[in-house]
């Protein structure tokens, strides 16, 4: 018998595992054979692998603090990435209802009448922080209020920023900007009088709060400019004097999230724009990312760093700006900051639009734009006039060449006049469709009017669309249109070519050095839709109805022919969206729905889907993560969560499926939920009366609304 991996010494096998570049490779290797899986249980190798593939993830932090075993952490990373990339949620449930919400870093804040409720979603907390907005004026600001309104601005690092509007007997309507520290039981950290009624942008960390507004003007007065003010929470009193303004140069007024993005990372405020006030002065027909940053500890014009990074060439074709999305995220593996931009383009002037996600890593060190040559480590620049010498294989193809699946470059921009040619690596470009798939296919047809939300999750190499699908199965009669997830992803292809040899690096024509990442190939995993078209009607009601059945009490009244207004936010573990009725007023409440891809986020309800295979399609398309679930396992978990201990019948045998259904029916009738024994550090758990404020204090802890709604499904 020829030698195999099983015959390798443990030391050699562990050395091989130490070079694997992803959690998927490690898990697949461990599952290739039981003896290999046993050898790969070494803690040091597991910790090293986690630090290499997800150093900046919550799982890595949990392993470092001994809150999670290394194997559980690696399985969690593998499971959520695979589940998201293949549209296989672990659970779906109703978190509550409200008028608006914010969701970031696993914290959910939503407005419900005169309350703001804050829930730790990633830890499946059973308590919520509750802010009584009607008591803010008297207890925090010391003013009598006839009426009040709140508008949430930002939620980051456990700090909630909101605008509080109140009608006072003396001054009429007045406004305050409040920063509330949720992690410290609702401590008021900052109170600021707003200096403008313009749209405000707030970014913060645990120490600094930066408020940005388009209130500046250019030297000639023709253009408005972004200005910002920074407050140091640790050094200033609760109501400090207003700091001096800092105007960010060259940034024009654009829609935040489409052509402009502000973010705070590592004590710096970053501003990234696809346009600048000098756009018309560009000598070359190219577009750049204009990037600025300054330290929050010293917000001064002299500390502003800037850089320009090549974005695209005019020859690539027109852009459909309605589909453009711009974000700045942190790489979970390396900690580097990455610009992710979605663009829909008529490539090279063709009649077909194609959507593509472009990745661009920010350099660690900024410099003045005049000192740069628009180069960085991720864009390979070279001049075609100098490209006369022979180039080592594989050949770098120009944009006019016929594309093939194994091309090391997706395209290359040829020079015009004295311009510099540039090329992109496949690792920095993710097309919606592979070159051999038409965008007009059945799965691929997507109209902007049908798209409610769009984002890209770099950890799973997947894009997510929340769409309205008008295809209706014969078994469904209530929903003529219904919400579905549309997820497309890719994975690294084999490093071997058709001859069984490793793909070689391409060589830079100037430096003659290998181009890092040019040897990588990618394989499209296709586009997945969830839920299936023939999903149970009760699941469709949960995902699409704007009201909760247990609240309305009438299933017929809670249904409509199509979902109404939808707003959504997604991260690497879950998606939360708020669905309202059609033509709903701004202050009308809608239903908050969580679609969770992390099976370690365990919200357990007394509603479940016994035939869960129908929700994922055919068995050969499933990716098992952990043991095969069954009705008894699910029922036991549900009994544990609601405090039931009747797992066996009178004769001592395990309950049958009918008995399990009876227990679930009893749970639905009782509508009782016991507090958790273990509570997350963010909130402490105690039973309260949700109707009346306890002690008439403006901030309290109460049982989470999702425990009262009890509408959800578990699929694992």
């Amino acid at each position: 018998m020829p030698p195999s991996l099983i015959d390798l010494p443990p030391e050699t096998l562990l050395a091989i595992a130490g070079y694997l570049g992803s959690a998927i490779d490690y898990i697949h290797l461990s599952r290739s054979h039981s003896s290999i899986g046993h050898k790969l249980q070494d803690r040091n190798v597991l910790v090293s692998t986690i630090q290499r593939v997800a150093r900046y993830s919550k799982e890595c932090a949990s392993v470092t603090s001994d809150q999670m075993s290394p194997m559980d952490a690696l399985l969690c990373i593998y499971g959520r990435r695979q589940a998201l990339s293949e549209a296989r949620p672990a659970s779906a449930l109703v978190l509550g209802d409200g008028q608006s919400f914010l969701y970031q870093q696993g914290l959910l804040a939503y407005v419900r009448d005169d309350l703001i409720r804050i829930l730790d979603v990633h830890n499946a907390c059973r308590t919520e922080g509750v802010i009584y907005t009607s008591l803010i004026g008297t207890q925090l600001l010391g003013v009598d209020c006839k009426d009040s309104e709140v508008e949430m601005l930002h939620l980051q690092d456990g700090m909630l920023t909101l605008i509080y509007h109140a009608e006072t007997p003396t001054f009429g309507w007045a406004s305050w900007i409040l920063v509330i520290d949720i992690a410290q039981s609702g401590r008021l950290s900052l109170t600021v009088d707003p200096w403008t009624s313009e749209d405000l942008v707030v970014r913060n960390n645990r120490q600094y709060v930066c408020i940005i507004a388009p209130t500046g003007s250019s030297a000639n007065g023709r253009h408005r400019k972004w200005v910002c003010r920074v407050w140091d929470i640790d050094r200033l009193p609760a109501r400090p004097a207003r700091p001096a303004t800092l105007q960010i140069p060259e940034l024009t007024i654009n829609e935040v999230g489409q052509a402009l993005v502000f973010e705070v990372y590592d004590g710096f405020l970053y501003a990234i724009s696809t346009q600048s006030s000098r756009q018309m002065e560009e000598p070359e027909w190219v577009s750049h990312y204009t990037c600025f940053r300054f330290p929050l500890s010293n917000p001064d014009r002299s500390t502003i760093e800037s850089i320009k990074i090549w974005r695209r060439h005019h020859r690539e074709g027109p852009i459909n700006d309605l589909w453009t999305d711009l974000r700045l995220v942190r790489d979970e593996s390396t900690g580097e900051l990455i610009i992710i931009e979605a663009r829909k383009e008529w490539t090279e002037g063709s009649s077909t639009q194609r959507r593509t996600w472009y990745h661009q890593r920010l350099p660690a060190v900024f410099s003045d734009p005049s000192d740069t040559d628009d180069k960085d480590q991720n864009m390979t620049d070279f001049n075609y006039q100098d490209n006369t010498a022979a180039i080592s294989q594989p050949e770098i193809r120009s944009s006019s060449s016929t594309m093939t699946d194994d091309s090391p470059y997706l395209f290359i921009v040829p020079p015009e006049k004295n311009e510099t040619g540039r090329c992109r690596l496949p690792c920095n470009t993710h097309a919606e469709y592979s070159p051999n798939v038409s965008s007009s296919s059945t799965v691929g047809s997507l109209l902007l009017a049908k798209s409610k939300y769009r984002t890209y999750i770099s950890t799973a190499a997947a894009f997510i669309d929340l769409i309205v699908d008008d295809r209706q199965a014969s078994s469904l009669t209530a929903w003529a249109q219904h919400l579905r997830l549309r997820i497309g992803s890719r994975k690294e292809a084999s490093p071997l070519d058709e001859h069984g040899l490793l793909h070689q690096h391409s060589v830079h024509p100037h430096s003659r050095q290998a181009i890092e990442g040019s040897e990588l190939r990618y394989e499209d995993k296709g586009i997945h839709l969830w839920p299936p078209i023939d999903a149970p009607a009760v699941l469709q009601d949960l995902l699409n109805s704007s009201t909760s059945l247990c609240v309305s009490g009438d299933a017929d009244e809670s249904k409509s022919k199509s979902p109404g207004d939808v707003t959504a936010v997604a991260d690497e573990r879950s998606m939360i969206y708020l669905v309202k009725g059609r033509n709903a007023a701004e202050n009308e409440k809608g239903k908050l729905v969580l679609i969770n891809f992390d099976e370690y986020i365990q919200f357990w309800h007394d509603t479940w889907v016994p035939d869960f295979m129908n929700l994922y399609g055919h068995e050969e398309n499933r990716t098992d993560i952990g043991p095969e679930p069954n009705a008894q396992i699910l029922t036991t978990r549900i009994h544990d969560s609601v405090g039931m201990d009747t797992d066996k019948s009178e004769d001592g045998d395990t309950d049958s499926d009918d008995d399990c259904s009876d227990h679930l029916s009893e749970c639905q009738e009782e509508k009782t939920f016991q507090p958790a024994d273990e509570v997350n550090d963010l909130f402490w758990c105690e039973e309260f009366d949700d109707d009346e404020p306890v002690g008439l204090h403006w901030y309290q802890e109460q049982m989470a609304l999702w425990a009262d709604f009890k509408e959800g499904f578990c699929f694992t």
Side-chain angles (χ1 to χ4, degrees), residues 234-266:
D234 292 343
R235 295 185 180 182
L236 295 178
R239 304 192 67 173
R242 184 182 301 169
T245 60
L246 174 63
Q247 182 168 299
I248 305 177
E250 292 193 37
L251 288 187
T252 57
I253 304 303
N254 292 304
E255 183 177 352
V256 177
Q258 186 177 49
L260 177 65
V261 62
F262 296 100
E263 294 294 345
V264 169
Y265 287 105
D266 302 324

Side-chain angles (χ1 to χ4, degrees), residues 1 71 188 309 424 475:
M1 177 181 295
M71 181 51 93
L188 181 62
I309 302 174
R424 286 195 182 93
S475 59

